[in-house]
Amino acid sequence: MSKAKKKPSLAVVGATGAVGTVMLGILSERKDVWGEIRLIASARSAGKKLVCRGEELTVVALSPEAFDGIDVAMFDVPDEISAKWAPIAVSRGAIVVDNSGAFRMDPKVPLVVPEVNPKEAKKRPKGIISNPNCTTMSMIVAMGALHKKFELKELVVASYQAASGAGQPGIDGLREQISKIAGTNAGEATSDVRKVITDSSPFPAPLALNVIPWAGSLSEAGYTSEELKVRNESRKILGMPKLKVSATCVRVPVLTTHSLAVHATFKNVVTRKAAQKILEKAAGVILLDDPENKKFPTPNDVVGTDPTWVGRVRQSLDDEKSIDLFLCGDNLRKGAALNTAQIGELLAVELTK
């Protein structure tokens, strides 16, 4: 009998960033499927000590040699860094799981959500698998489960996106704004937040005590990049290139956890109870839907958890084939690090067969 294969090696690229930090915690919590874990970051972070799975690891600088001997490399870095370094990691023998937007719409790179389309992870001609945007991720697990039963035709989505969707600058910016408001009298802050807040946050308007109907950068026909990601990524994940999707993405003064209000139209009739039954059994979903007692998911409930939480499920009053619902998902966990880790686990199983 041949000996069992050793556990594959893993590199975490961007280990010191906001998502990378969450990734180290997730790797410590989940089943141990990895052999060596190598932490990679920019040269300025090289030498830093971080703990993963109870072991203190030293961060190494990003370089071609950093990927030598690595089987799987998870990238939690900006688009331009992934675009440059993911192919280099592949050339050194690694399979890349990329959390940036650099490859999501590349037809030769699968866009994978393990609860929805896990088989796509095996189709990787470029050696790269992409992770969806955190806004898309917050709804697609639930939508995928409903689609399998009722056949999705159209989505109308309004997102309520946390500050952390803009990275650490978003978190720091909102905290700074809240701190400034706390130092003023309530009347002044409420009447004109702009008089209180003048900072260099990544948002185009004050976020504290406010909402901003803008997330991402200007794209086409007045839509933002975040809104087009919801449309294009949902189509690719579900394998529906002509799925009708309309999205409006709004930034809200929440540190972590994205929320979405979704109006979904299906080919078949879908009642409230039928939708609830599917969602109750769906992997990666928690249904919290008790309107009589005003129980429904909020970011405060969901932050730090892994599933997509769903509530306010209603059959449309005007169309028996449509439902409305409200979803929340921690954008740093399932929306980023966890899904990447789950894809990595699919690869770990494949590599040890």
Side-chain angles (χ1 to χ4, degrees), residues 59-326:
V59 176
V60 301
L62 181 60
S63 69
E65 294 74 24
F67 298 101
D68 289 348
I70 293 297
D71 296 306
V72 177
M74 297 178 181
F75 276 64
D76 295 312
V77 294
D79 293 9
E80 62 274 13
I81 297 177
S82 283
K84 175 182 178 180
W85 287 94
I88 293 173
V90 172
S91 72
R92 309 294 282 209
I95 302 170
V96 168
V97 184
D98 182 43
N99 194 35
S100 82
F103 303 99
R104 287 178 186 146
M105 299 316 298
D106 187 324
K108 294 184 178 180
V109 175
L111 187 62
V112 174
V113 179
E115 295 91 340
V116 181
N117 61 342
K119 293 181 180 179
E120 293 299 306
K122 294 181 180 293
K123 305 171 186 177
R124 45 178 193 270
K126 289 189 174 182
I128 300 171
I129 301 170
S130 201
N131 195 56
N133 174 263
C134 52
T135 313
T136 307
M137 183 64 68
S138 296
M139 72 166 187
I140 203 66
V141 175
M143 289 297 102
L146 292 170
H147 169 60
K148 288 178 182 177
K149 178 67 176 180
F150 303 110
E151 295 188 50
L152 192 62
K153 287 182 62 180
E154 183 174 349
L155 288 171
V156 180
V157 180
S159 72
Y160 309 91
Q161 297 179 215
S164 55
Q168 194 62 45
I171 296 172
D172 295 341
L174 179 56
R175 283 177 170 158
E176 180 184 355
Q177 292 177 8
I178 292 171
S179 177
K180 287 183 177 181
I181 288 174
T184 67
N185 68 68
E188 180 184 5
T190 304
S191 63
D192 192 349
V193 177
R194 291 170 295 181
K195 293 179 180 178
V196 180
I197 299 171
T198 54
D199 66 3
S200 57
S201 78
F203 310 117
L207 185 57
L209 298 182
N210 201 20
V211 299
I212 305 171
W214 187 270
S217 56
L218 180 62
S219 192
E220 60 185 82
Y223 286 89
T224 69
S225 56
E226 286 287 306
E227 290 160 352
L228 292 187
K229 286 174 186 176
V230 173
R231 176 178 182 263
N232 296 335
E233 293 175 15
S234 296
R235 288 175 159 189
K236 186 172 180 179
I237 294 165
L238 296 174
M240 303 178 68
K242 295 185 179 180
L243 177 67
K244 293 181 179 180
V245 182
S246 177
T248 300
C249 292
V250 181
R251 193 74 70 182
V252 297
V254 170
L255 283 174
T256 303
T257 295
H258 290 348
S259 304
L260 299 96
V262 178
H263 178 83
T265 300
F266 298 87
K267 182 178 179 180
N268 302 301
V269 172
V270 51
T271 65
R272 176 173 182 258
K273 287 186 177 180
Q276 288 175 319
K277 185 176 180 181
I278 295 297
L279 294 168
E280 281 178 335
K281 297 179 180 179
V285 173
I286 288 180
L287 181 67
L288 180 61
D289 190 20
D290 183 1
E292 287 79 10
N293 294 300
K294 295 184 174 62
K295 291 185 178 180
F296 36 74
T298 71
N300 193 56
D301 303 308
V302 173
V303 64
T305 68
D306 292 339
T308 292
W309 293 53
V310 184
R312 298 295 322 278
V313 180
R314 293 148 286 157
Q315 185 182 45
S316 172
L317 297 176
D318 302 309
D319 182 358
E320 65 180 2
K321 296 181 179 179
S322 297
I323 58 168
D324 294 282
L325 43 78
F326 187 78

